[in-house]
mmCIF file of all heavy atoms in Angstrom:
data_model
loop_
_atom_site.group_PDB
_atom_site.id
_atom_site.type_symbol
_atom_site.label_atom_id
_atom_site.label_comp_id
_atom_site.label_asym_id
_atom_site.label_seq_id
_atom_site.Cartn_x
_atom_site.Cartn_y
_atom_site.Cartn_z
ATOM 1 N N GLN U 1 -1.083 2.868 17.390
ATOM 2 C CA GLN U 1 0.110 1.840 17.331
ATOM 3 C C GLN U 1 -0.481 0.496 17.348
ATOM 4 O O GLN U 1 -1.173 0.050 18.165
ATOM 5 C CB GLN U 1 1.111 1.987 18.386
ATOM 6 C CG GLN U 1 2.244 1.117 18.144
ATOM 7 C CD GLN U 1 3.336 1.189 19.211
ATOM 8 O OE1 GLN U 1 3.056 1.422 20.381
ATOM 9 N NE2 GLN U 1 4.667 1.046 18.870
ATOM 10 N N ARG U 2 -0.230 -0.268 16.390
ATOM 11 C CA ARG U 2 -0.644 -1.709 16.138
ATOM 12 C C ARG U 2 0.117 -2.306 14.947
ATOM 13 O O ARG U 2 0.918 -1.637 14.322
ATOM 14 C CB ARG U 2 -2.147 -1.799 16.082
ATOM 15 C CG ARG U 2 -2.691 -1.144 14.830
ATOM 16 C CD ARG U 2 -4.072 -1.783 14.525
ATOM 17 N NE ARG U 2 -3.962 -3.169 14.022
ATOM 18 C CZ ARG U 2 -4.518 -4.201 14.610
ATOM 19 N NH1 ARG U 2 -5.214 -4.083 15.778
ATOM 20 N NH2 ARG U 2 -4.136 -5.381 14.189
ATOM 21 N N LEU U 3 -0.154 -3.555 14.717
ATOM 22 C CA LEU U 3 0.293 -4.233 13.456
ATOM 23 C C LEU U 3 -0.565 -3.769 12.338
ATOM 24 O O LEU U 3 -1.813 -3.872 12.366
ATOM 25 C CB LEU U 3 0.322 -5.712 13.545
ATOM 26 C CG LEU U 3 1.455 -6.250 14.313
ATOM 27 C CD1 LEU U 3 1.276 -7.734 14.479
ATOM 28 C CD2 LEU U 3 2.786 -6.074 13.540
ATOM 29 N N TRP U 4 -0.059 -3.231 11.296
ATOM 30 C CA TRP U 4 -0.808 -2.748 10.117
ATOM 31 C C TRP U 4 -0.202 -3.584 8.899
ATOM 32 O O TRP U 4 0.992 -3.852 8.776
ATOM 33 C CB TRP U 4 -0.647 -1.299 9.787
ATOM 34 C CG TRP U 4 -1.052 -0.365 10.912
ATOM 35 C CD1 TRP U 4 -0.298 0.238 11.865
ATOM 36 C CD2 TRP U 4 -2.402 0.057 11.119
ATOM 37 N NE1 TRP U 4 -1.085 0.964 12.687
ATOM 38 C CE2 TRP U 4 -2.415 0.870 12.254
ATOM 39 C CE3 TRP U 4 -3.597 -0.152 10.446
ATOM 40 C CZ2 TRP U 4 -3.530 1.582 12.753
ATOM 41 C CZ3 TRP U 4 -4.720 0.472 10.990
ATOM 42 C CH2 TRP U 4 -4.745 1.239 12.099
ATOM 43 N N LEU U 5 -1.042 -3.829 8.006
ATOM 44 C CA LEU U 5 -0.797 -4.384 6.648
ATOM 45 C C LEU U 5 -0.352 -3.229 5.731
ATOM 46 O O LEU U 5 -1.154 -2.289 5.533
ATOM 47 C CB LEU U 5 -1.982 -5.178 6.154
ATOM 48 C CG LEU U 5 -1.677 -6.353 5.130
ATOM 49 C CD1 LEU U 5 -0.783 -7.365 5.704
ATOM 50 C CD2 LEU U 5 -3.076 -6.871 4.723
ATOM 51 N N ARG U 6 0.838 -3.342 5.234
ATOM 52 C CA ARG U 6 1.341 -2.348 4.177
ATOM 53 C C ARG U 6 2.289 -2.991 3.198
ATOM 54 O O ARG U 6 2.741 -4.006 3.426
ATOM 55 C CB ARG U 6 1.939 -1.110 4.968
ATOM 56 C CG ARG U 6 3.071 -1.439 5.659
ATOM 57 C CD ARG U 6 3.590 -0.258 6.545
ATOM 58 N NE ARG U 6 4.007 0.981 5.701
ATOM 59 C CZ ARG U 6 4.295 2.136 6.157
ATOM 60 N NH1 ARG U 6 4.272 2.359 7.433
ATOM 61 N NH2 ARG U 6 4.682 3.122 5.335
ATOM 62 N N TRP U 7 2.709 -2.119 2.280
ATOM 63 C CA TRP U 7 3.499 -2.597 1.129
ATOM 64 C C TRP U 7 5.077 -2.245 1.407
ATOM 65 O O TRP U 7 5.263 -1.291 2.099
ATOM 66 C CB TRP U 7 3.090 -1.872 -0.153
ATOM 67 C CG TRP U 7 1.639 -2.281 -0.564
ATOM 68 C CD1 TRP U 7 0.581 -1.594 -0.241
ATOM 69 C CD2 TRP U 7 1.250 -3.370 -1.448
ATOM 70 N NE1 TRP U 7 -0.556 -2.114 -0.854
ATOM 71 C CE2 TRP U 7 -0.160 -3.298 -1.455
ATOM 72 C CE3 TRP U 7 2.009 -4.369 -2.040
ATOM 73 C CZ2 TRP U 7 -0.859 -4.164 -2.294
ATOM 74 C CZ3 TRP U 7 1.276 -5.365 -2.792
ATOM 75 C CH2 TRP U 7 -0.102 -5.212 -2.874
ATOM 76 N N TYR U 8 5.948 -3.044 0.886
ATOM 77 C CA TYR U 8 7.350 -2.814 0.961
ATOM 78 C C TYR U 8 8.024 -3.048 -0.373
ATOM 79 O O TYR U 8 7.567 -3.621 -1.206
ATOM 80 C CB TYR U 8 7.940 -3.666 2.034
ATOM 81 C CG TYR U 8 7.966 -5.162 1.769
ATOM 82 C CD1 TYR U 8 9.041 -5.795 1.085
ATOM 83 C CD2 TYR U 8 6.959 -5.976 2.198
ATOM 84 C CE1 TYR U 8 9.018 -7.106 0.836
ATOM 85 C CE2 TYR U 8 6.844 -7.389 1.932
ATOM 86 C CZ TYR U 8 7.925 -7.971 1.284
ATOM 87 O OH TYR U 8 7.844 -9.280 0.902
ATOM 88 N N ASP U 9 9.234 -2.440 -0.518
ATOM 89 C CA ASP U 9 9.897 -2.400 -1.798
ATOM 90 C C ASP U 9 10.888 -3.522 -1.959
ATOM 91 O O ASP U 9 11.050 -4.433 -0.992
ATOM 92 C CB ASP U 9 10.640 -1.022 -1.991
ATOM 93 C CG ASP U 9 11.735 -0.738 -1.038
ATOM 94 O OD1 ASP U 9 12.222 -1.663 -0.415
ATOM 95 O OD2 ASP U 9 12.102 0.456 -0.942
ATOM 96 N N GLY U 10 11.707 -3.583 -3.007
ATOM 97 C CA GLY U 10 12.568 -4.679 -3.302
ATOM 98 C C GLY U 10 13.746 -4.768 -2.343
ATOM 99 O O GLY U 10 14.384 -5.880 -2.189
ATOM 100 N N GLU U 11 14.000 -3.710 -1.536
ATOM 101 C CA GLU U 11 15.130 -3.739 -0.518
ATOM 102 C C GLU U 11 14.460 -3.995 0.773
ATOM 103 O O GLU U 11 15.282 -4.002 1.783
ATOM 104 C CB GLU U 11 15.816 -2.283 -0.620
ATOM 105 C CG GLU U 11 16.490 -2.127 -1.973
ATOM 106 C CD GLU U 11 17.253 -0.787 -1.950
ATOM 107 O OE1 GLU U 11 17.094 0.019 -0.924
ATOM 108 O OE2 GLU U 11 17.927 -0.405 -2.980
ATOM 109 N N GLY U 12 13.257 -4.291 0.828
ATOM 110 C CA GLY U 12 12.675 -4.598 2.221
ATOM 111 C C GLY U 12 12.224 -3.411 3.069
ATOM 112 O O GLY U 12 11.745 -3.510 4.095
ATOM 113 N N ASN U 13 12.289 -2.232 2.336
ATOM 114 C CA ASN U 13 11.816 -1.056 3.040
ATOM 115 C C ASN U 13 10.333 -0.796 2.859
ATOM 116 O O ASN U 13 9.811 -0.944 1.813
ATOM 117 C CB ASN U 13 12.626 0.132 2.553
ATOM 118 C CG ASN U 13 14.092 0.005 2.667
ATOM 119 O OD1 ASN U 13 14.602 -0.335 3.780
ATOM 120 N ND2 ASN U 13 14.887 0.355 1.679
ATOM 121 N N TRP U 14 9.730 -0.329 3.982
ATOM 122 C CA TRP U 14 8.281 -0.006 3.888
ATOM 123 C C TRP U 14 8.068 1.109 3.030
ATOM 124 O O TRP U 14 8.819 2.139 3.115
ATOM 125 C CB TRP U 14 7.774 0.235 5.316
ATOM 126 C CG TRP U 14 7.894 -0.943 6.220
ATOM 127 C CD1 TRP U 14 8.716 -1.043 7.363
ATOM 128 C CD2 TRP U 14 7.266 -2.210 6.170
ATOM 129 N NE1 TRP U 14 8.622 -2.234 7.917
ATOM 130 C CE2 TRP U 14 7.674 -3.024 7.213
ATOM 131 C CE3 TRP U 14 6.222 -2.698 5.298
ATOM 132 C CZ2 TRP U 14 7.208 -4.246 7.469
ATOM 133 C CZ3 TRP U 14 5.768 -3.965 5.508
ATOM 134 C CH2 TRP U 14 6.230 -4.784 6.635
ATOM 135 N N ILE U 15 7.122 1.143 2.143
ATOM 136 C CA ILE U 15 6.777 2.231 1.312
ATOM 137 C C ILE U 15 6.170 3.340 2.167
ATOM 138 O O ILE U 15 5.234 3.081 2.927
ATOM 139 C CB ILE U 15 5.733 1.853 0.104
ATOM 140 C CG1 ILE U 15 6.382 0.703 -0.630
ATOM 141 C CG2 ILE U 15 5.493 3.109 -0.716
ATOM 142 C CD1 ILE U 15 7.538 0.979 -1.393
ATOM 143 N N PRO U 16 6.679 4.599 2.115
ATOM 144 C CA PRO U 16 6.245 5.645 3.094
ATOM 145 C C PRO U 16 4.778 6.094 2.536
ATOM 146 O O PRO U 16 4.606 6.135 1.460
ATOM 147 C CB PRO U 16 7.292 6.749 3.040
ATOM 148 C CG PRO U 16 7.866 6.621 1.626
ATOM 149 C CD PRO U 16 7.893 5.060 1.415
ATOM 150 N N THR U 17 3.992 6.526 3.597
ATOM 151 C CA THR U 17 2.799 7.172 3.235
ATOM 152 C C THR U 17 3.054 8.639 2.878
ATOM 153 O O THR U 17 4.223 9.113 3.200
ATOM 154 C CB THR U 17 1.877 7.199 4.553
ATOM 155 O OG1 THR U 17 2.471 8.039 5.520
ATOM 156 C CG2 THR U 17 1.554 5.817 5.013
ATOM 157 N N PRO U 18 2.186 9.396 2.284
ATOM 158 C CA PRO U 18 2.455 10.772 1.923
ATOM 159 C C PRO U 18 2.877 11.546 3.211
ATOM 160 O O PRO U 18 3.818 12.351 3.102
ATOM 161 C CB PRO U 18 1.219 11.238 1.331
ATOM 162 C CG PRO U 18 0.512 10.003 0.699
ATOM 163 C CD PRO U 18 0.913 8.937 1.788
ATOM 164 N N GLU U 19 2.224 11.245 4.355
ATOM 165 C CA GLU U 19 2.564 12.101 5.586
ATOM 166 C C GLU U 19 3.927 11.783 5.977
ATOM 167 O O GLU U 19 4.739 12.593 6.424
ATOM 168 C CB GLU U 19 1.630 11.739 6.644
ATOM 169 C CG GLU U 19 1.756 12.496 7.993
ATOM 170 C CD GLU U 19 0.861 12.237 9.003
ATOM 171 O OE1 GLU U 19 -0.155 11.455 8.741
ATOM 172 O OE2 GLU U 19 0.905 12.776 10.095
ATOM 173 N N GLU U 20 4.309 10.428 5.979
ATOM 174 C CA GLU U 20 5.667 10.089 6.338
ATOM 175 C C GLU U 20 6.742 10.567 5.335
ATOM 176 O O GLU U 20 7.774 11.022 5.834
ATOM 177 C CB GLU U 20 5.806 8.487 6.270
ATOM 178 C CG GLU U 20 5.029 7.780 7.410
ATOM 179 C CD GLU U 20 4.962 6.293 7.218
ATOM 180 O OE1 GLU U 20 5.147 5.761 6.207
ATOM 181 O OE2 GLU U 20 4.670 5.603 8.168
ATOM 182 N N SER U 21 6.382 10.733 4.029
ATOM 183 C CA SER U 21 7.352 11.353 3.267
ATOM 184 C C SER U 21 7.543 12.887 3.407
ATOM 185 O O SER U 21 8.753 13.303 3.431
ATOM 186 C CB SER U 21 6.786 11.210 1.702
ATOM 187 O OG SER U 21 6.781 9.884 1.289
ATOM 188 N N VAL U 22 6.481 13.558 3.751
ATOM 189 C CA VAL U 22 6.664 14.951 4.221
ATOM 190 C C VAL U 22 7.461 15.099 5.476
ATOM 191 O O VAL U 22 8.362 16.018 5.474
ATOM 192 C CB VAL U 22 5.201 15.568 4.443
ATOM 193 C CG1 VAL U 22 5.376 17.057 5.072
ATOM 194 C CG2 VAL U 22 4.536 15.707 3.074
ATOM 195 N N ASP U 23 7.261 14.235 6.411
ATOM 196 C CA ASP U 23 7.995 14.302 7.657
ATOM 197 C C ASP U 23 9.426 14.007 7.515
ATOM 198 O O ASP U 23 10.379 14.690 7.998
ATOM 199 C CB ASP U 23 7.469 13.345 8.709
ATOM 200 C CG ASP U 23 6.145 13.670 9.262
ATOM 201 O OD1 ASP U 23 5.757 14.923 9.192
ATOM 202 O OD2 ASP U 23 5.440 12.856 9.752
ATOM 203 N N LYS U 24 9.719 13.083 6.635
ATOM 204 C CA LYS U 24 11.160 12.722 6.295
ATOM 205 C C LYS U 24 11.781 13.840 5.588
ATOM 206 O O LYS U 24 12.946 14.203 5.822
ATOM 207 C CB LYS U 24 11.110 11.474 5.466
ATOM 208 C CG LYS U 24 12.613 10.885 5.091
ATOM 209 C CD LYS U 24 12.428 9.629 4.321
ATOM 210 C CE LYS U 24 13.849 9.127 4.026
ATOM 211 N NZ LYS U 24 13.816 7.860 3.214
ATOM 212 N N GLU U 25 11.083 14.455 4.653
ATOM 213 C CA GLU U 25 11.745 15.626 3.940
ATOM 214 C C GLU U 25 11.996 16.835 4.846
ATOM 215 O O GLU U 25 12.997 17.492 4.906
ATOM 216 C CB GLU U 25 10.811 16.008 2.807
ATOM 217 C CG GLU U 25 11.338 17.213 1.890
ATOM 218 C CD GLU U 25 10.464 17.516 0.862
ATOM 219 O OE1 GLU U 25 9.436 16.775 0.632
ATOM 220 O OE2 GLU U 25 10.643 18.599 0.192
ATOM 221 N N ARG U 26 11.039 17.041 5.774
ATOM 222 C CA ARG U 26 11.174 18.057 6.867
ATOM 223 C C ARG U 26 12.416 17.853 7.749
ATOM 224 O O ARG U 26 13.102 18.770 8.080
ATOM 225 C CB ARG U 26 9.970 18.306 7.605
ATOM 226 C CG ARG U 26 9.962 19.370 8.719
ATOM 227 C CD ARG U 26 8.737 19.355 9.565
ATOM 228 N NE ARG U 26 8.343 18.038 10.114
ATOM 229 C CZ ARG U 26 8.874 17.522 11.134
ATOM 230 N NH1 ARG U 26 9.867 18.089 11.751
ATOM 231 N NH2 ARG U 26 8.509 16.277 11.624
ATOM 232 N N MET U 27 12.540 16.593 8.121
ATOM 233 C CA MET U 27 13.668 16.305 9.023
ATOM 234 C C MET U 27 14.884 16.371 8.319
ATOM 235 O O MET U 27 15.933 16.853 8.939
ATOM 236 C CB MET U 27 13.423 14.796 9.569
ATOM 237 C CG MET U 27 12.249 14.678 10.521
ATOM 238 S SD MET U 27 12.055 13.020 11.175
ATOM 239 C CE MET U 27 13.488 12.717 11.989
ATOM 240 N N ALA U 28 14.958 16.008 7.021
ATOM 241 C CA ALA U 28 16.240 16.146 6.195
ATOM 242 C C ALA U 28 16.618 17.635 6.136
ATOM 243 O O ALA U 28 17.739 18.001 6.176
ATOM 244 C CB ALA U 28 15.944 15.497 4.861
ATOM 245 N N LYS U 29 15.668 18.509 5.857
ATOM 246 C CA LYS U 29 15.916 19.880 5.711
ATOM 247 C C LYS U 29 16.395 20.500 7.052
ATOM 248 O O LYS U 29 17.371 21.251 7.070
ATOM 249 C CB LYS U 29 14.614 20.664 5.314
ATOM 250 C CG LYS U 29 14.254 20.467 3.752
ATOM 251 C CD LYS U 29 13.007 21.224 3.426
ATOM 252 C CE LYS U 29 12.646 21.025 2.084
ATOM 253 N NZ LYS U 29 11.393 21.799 1.646
ATOM 254 N N GLU U 30 15.730 20.123 8.056
ATOM 255 C CA GLU U 30 16.255 20.486 9.472
ATOM 256 C C GLU U 30 17.585 20.049 9.897
ATOM 257 O O GLU U 30 18.410 20.862 10.322
ATOM 258 C CB GLU U 30 15.237 20.019 10.564
ATOM 259 C CG GLU U 30 13.850 20.727 10.440
ATOM 260 C CD GLU U 30 12.849 20.151 11.545
ATOM 261 O OE1 GLU U 30 13.264 19.212 12.164
ATOM 262 O OE2 GLU U 30 11.723 20.727 11.610
ATOM 263 N N SER U 31 17.913 18.850 9.444
ATOM 264 C CA SER U 31 19.226 18.319 9.656
ATOM 265 C C SER U 31 20.322 19.080 8.720
ATOM 266 O O SER U 31 21.381 19.399 9.301
ATOM 267 C CB SER U 31 19.190 16.783 9.271
ATOM 268 O OG SER U 31 20.494 16.267 9.495
ATOM 269 N N ALA U 32 19.900 19.413 7.565
ATOM 270 C CA ALA U 32 20.863 20.077 6.805
ATOM 271 C C ALA U 32 21.115 21.371 7.269
ATOM 272 O O ALA U 32 22.199 22.001 7.227
ATOM 273 C CB ALA U 32 20.301 20.201 5.287
ATOM 274 N N MET U 33 20.025 22.139 7.590
ATOM 275 C CA MET U 33 20.246 23.416 8.272
ATOM 276 C C MET U 33 20.993 23.485 9.534
ATOM 277 O O MET U 33 21.856 24.363 9.801
ATOM 278 C CB MET U 33 18.766 24.055 8.614
ATOM 279 C CG MET U 33 17.935 24.376 7.408
ATOM 280 S SD MET U 33 16.281 24.898 7.751
ATOM 281 C CE MET U 33 16.551 26.441 8.674
ATOM 282 N N GLN U 34 20.994 22.411 10.351
ATOM 283 C CA GLN U 34 21.656 22.204 11.591
ATOM 284 C C GLN U 34 23.203 22.078 11.250
ATOM 285 O O GLN U 34 24.037 22.736 11.905
ATOM 286 C CB GLN U 34 21.129 21.076 12.340
ATOM 287 C CG GLN U 34 21.939 20.917 13.710
ATOM 288 C CD GLN U 34 21.322 19.789 14.511
ATOM 289 O OE1 GLN U 34 20.404 19.213 14.161
ATOM 290 N NE2 GLN U 34 22.116 19.596 15.658
ATOM 291 N N ARG U 35 23.376 21.258 10.136
ATOM 292 C CA ARG U 35 24.924 21.168 9.732
ATOM 293 C C ARG U 35 25.433 22.442 9.286
ATOM 294 O O ARG U 35 26.519 22.798 9.662
ATOM 295 C CB ARG U 35 24.952 20.022 8.599
ATOM 296 C CG ARG U 35 24.676 18.588 9.115
ATOM 297 C CD ARG U 35 25.208 17.662 8.082
ATOM 298 N NE ARG U 35 24.441 17.776 6.763
ATOM 299 C CZ ARG U 35 23.349 17.160 6.533
ATOM 300 N NH1 ARG U 35 22.826 16.332 7.371
ATOM 301 N NH2 ARG U 35 22.840 17.293 5.376
ATOM 302 N N VAL U 36 24.680 23.199 8.530
ATOM 303 C CA VAL U 36 25.162 24.411 8.005
ATOM 304 C C VAL U 36 25.497 25.396 9.228
ATOM 305 O O VAL U 36 26.467 26.057 9.170
ATOM 306 C CB VAL U 36 24.129 25.237 7.101
ATOM 307 C CG1 VAL U 36 24.486 26.576 6.753
ATOM 308 C CG2 VAL U 36 24.054 24.359 5.731
ATOM 309 N N GLU U 37 24.541 25.423 10.275
ATOM 310 C CA GLU U 37 24.766 26.250 11.338
ATOM 311 C C GLU U 37 25.971 25.798 12.160
ATOM 312 O O GLU U 37 26.767 26.677 12.549
ATOM 313 C CB GLU U 37 23.563 26.207 12.325
ATOM 314 C CG GLU U 37 23.618 27.009 13.568
ATOM 315 C CD GLU U 37 23.712 28.546 13.241
ATOM 316 O OE1 GLU U 37 23.492 29.029 12.122
ATOM 317 O OE2 GLU U 37 24.075 29.327 14.288
#
């Protein structure tokens, strides 16, 4: 954990790394499965 230099998009959101994208997709799937249950 520290300050890192990275890129952001036109809406001010940080561009995710590939690992962050995978984690986000996994959390979205888990959340969807929880809603179904």
